[in-house]
Amino acid sequence: MNIILIGFMGSGKTSTGRILAKQLGYKFLDTDQIIEQKNGLTCAKIFAQRGEEFFRKQETATLKELHGLDGAVIATGGGIVLSADNRNFLQNLGATVYLKTEPAEILKRVENDTSRPLLSQENKLAEIQNLLATRQPLYLATAQCIIATQTGQPEKAAAAICKILKLEPPCQP
Ligand code: S3P
């Protein structure tokens, strides 16, 4: 059993994933962190120096390396669902959970964050809305369940995931 967290940048995948993994006694993995370690560069630098296509290939290769994994919570990059291969792989890897946050709230969380290469435009809200227009249907099509992370409380999101997936506590917020 694995739990895979998908969703837009700033939706709380990493913070929720860490808490959930600790509560369940699962391993915690983050595809962005794995890619950064492999390349010795941050995601932002990989995008800047090697381009998005290179990053996406690394993302797919990283997922494939997770084949056979068990007992893990996996936080993924916001664009991982763009590839049909990735979507199929994730659905076979475990329970996929979409952490859903509205654009205005995402903006608040990422506004001053320079580490997100796809949101360096002047009008970040429009950029978020554009990306979400493409991605939201893919998150919805990939996810087994949806958890609203609008309030930004990762403990509550972790508890909600336990409840919806009928996992045993200790999952108290
Ligand atoms: C991306 C999201 C980032 C990271 C990369 C690309 C995206 O991950 O994978 O910068 O395409 O939305 P987070 O969703 O963890 O910020």
Side-chain angles (χ1 to χ4, degrees), residues 67-78:
H67 181 77
L69 184 70
D70 190 28
V73 176
I74 305 149
T76 57

Side-chain angles (χ1 to χ4, degrees), residues 7-10 13-14 32 43 47 52 55-56 59 76-79 115-118 135:
F8 204 76
M9 291 172 250
K13 292 163 292 181
T14 301
D32 283 342
C43 290
F47 267 71
E52 178 167 358
F55 180 84
R56 298 295 172 209
E59 214 167 28
T76 57
S115 70
R116 289 182 151 114
L118 291 177
R135 293 177 180 189

Side-chain angles (χ1 to χ4, degrees), residues 27-87:
K27 290 182 279 277
F28 175 72
L29 298 174
D30 183 320
T31 57
D32 283 342
Q33 277 173 13
I34 298 172
I35 295 168
E36 289 185 343
Q37 278 159 10
K38 274 188 195 169
N39 288 277
L41 291 171
T42 62
C43 290
K45 286 209 167 126
I46 298 173
F47 267 71
Q49 295 178 14
R50 300 182 185 167
E52 178 167 358
E53 202 182 323
F54 175 87
F55 180 84
R56 298 295 172 209
K57 283 189 181 148
Q58 293 273 305
E59 214 167 28
T60 299
T62 298
L63 273 191
K64 300 253 157 85
E65 286 161 17
L66 301 183
H67 181 77
L69 184 70
D70 190 28
V73 176
I74 305 149
T76 57
I80 208 151
V81 294
L82 292 169
S83 142
D85 264 7
N86 291 357
R87 298 197 295 274

